[in-house]
Amino acid sequence: VQKMFELFGRITKPHPWHGITAGDDAPNAVTCFIESVPGDAIKYEINKKNGYLMVDRPQKFSSLCPTVYGFIPQTYCGIETAKLCMEATKLENVIGDGDPLDCCVLSTRTITHGDLILTAVPIGGFRMIDNGEADDKIICVVQGDSVMKEWNDLKDAPAAYVDMIRHYFLTYKLNPSQPDEHPVSIPQVYGREEALKVIAASQTDYAKKYGNLQREFAQAVVDA
């Protein structure tokens, strides 16, 4: 089944979420599919059904993401990811957001567009909760960056840089017409060790949710 899946991927474009793996060295180094880059005033998002990068909407407010942004393939924020969140924050009734695990990729060199893949090294993350849903943001450094390669943990990055990224996520959904509503919270900022646990949990969630995709594909071929 695995061989059939690989061969099919060579003659068709693999789905960025399901057809690409997180990498042979995951979670220590992970493949990231990039959806957007700093300066994008349009919110680009993967179409979960067909795998194409699509325009979700223009950004609602003035905030623009300060990092390269995307997700780790073959991950899913489900029960195990939410469980980690609740254990760390002591909150109750948190659920996974049902999306692949998001990642912010740091790079000293400009990456000019999305719809590409790269390999990055996780150094930490934000325990983000969006309207009661676990929506972690894994912070990574692009592999091979000659400057940031010394950043082995989030504490190695300048605090002001981390604060800038955190400020974006805390404010990008704030509506000036509804100043008392704060849909997003980040109760914890964590380092590399916890980031690896979150990635592993999201891989477990993916296996539970989509682990039979290859067998379903093989059976569909047989049935055809």
Side-chain angles (χ1 to χ4, degrees):
V1 174
Q2 177 66 29
K3 184 65 174 179
M4 182 187 300
F5 215 66
E6 290 176 357
L7 290 172
F8 188 74
R10 292 180 184 178
I11 59 175
T12 63
K13 182 180 179 180
H15 193 294
W17 186 10
H18 305 296
I20 300 172
T21 71
D24 294 337
D25 197 27
N28 297 298
V30 294
T31 298
C32 301
F33 178 82
I34 303 307
E35 295 174 300
S36 63
V37 298
D40 281 343
I42 299 292
K43 184 178 183 295
Y44 299 106
E45 194 170 275
I46 201 72
N47 184 303
K48 293 179 182 178
K49 185 174 182 179
N50 58 37
Y52 279 90
L53 191 65
M54 69 177 186
V55 172
D56 182 40
R57 54 173 166 77
Q59 296 288 5
K60 292 182 179 180
F61 305 113
S62 59
S63 296
L64 299 178
C65 187
T67 73
V68 175
Y69 185 78
F71 63 84
I72 302 172
Q74 294 188 12
T75 59
Y76 179 76
C77 294
I79 293 174
E80 296 302 319
T81 309
K83 182 180 177 181
L84 274 183
C85 178
M86 288 187 285
E87 289 175 350
T89 63
K90 309 305 180 186
L91 297 172
E92 298 180 349
N93 301 318
V94 176
I95 62 173
D97 73 349
D99 289 332
L101 182 62
D102 296 323
C103 58
C104 298
V105 182
L106 312 182
S107 172
T108 56
R109 298 293 186 181
T110 301
I111 295 175
T112 59
H113 63 88
D115 201 17
L116 53 80
I117 60 172
L118 55 79
T119 302
V121 179
I123 62 171
F126 299 149
R127 186 87 65 191
M128 182 168 136
I129 301 173
D130 185 348
N131 286 305
E133 297 180 342
D135 189 12
D136 287 65
K137 308 299 179 186
I138 301 299
I139 311 297
C140 306
V141 170
V142 66
Q143 191 174 65
D145 192 296
S146 60
V147 176
M148 295 182 178
K149 67 180 180 181
E150 304 298 330
W151 298 3
N152 297 310
D153 194 274
L154 197 58
K155 67 178 184 293
D156 298 327
Y161 193 13
V162 177
D163 284 345
M164 178 177 65
I165 303 169
R166 182 171 58 163
H167 179 265
Y168 165 74
F169 285 111
L170 285 171
T171 60
Y172 79 119
K173 287 190 174 182
L174 291 182
N175 188 335
S177 299
Q178 300 169 319
D180 295 330
E181 292 189 9
H182 299 271
V184 173
S185 65
I186 300 178
Q188 183 186 23
V189 177
Y190 49 77
R192 174 176 169 80
E193 183 178 352
E194 185 66 17
L196 300 187
K197 292 179 182 179
V198 174
I199 295 170
S202 69
Q203 290 180 301
T204 299
D205 280 332
Y206 181 88
K208 291 179 179 178
K209 179 74 173 180
Y210 295 109
N212 291 325
L213 273 182
Q214 292 188 8
R215 292 190 180 277
E216 290 174 10
F217 170 72
Q219 188 62 51
V221 172
V222 171
D223 293 343

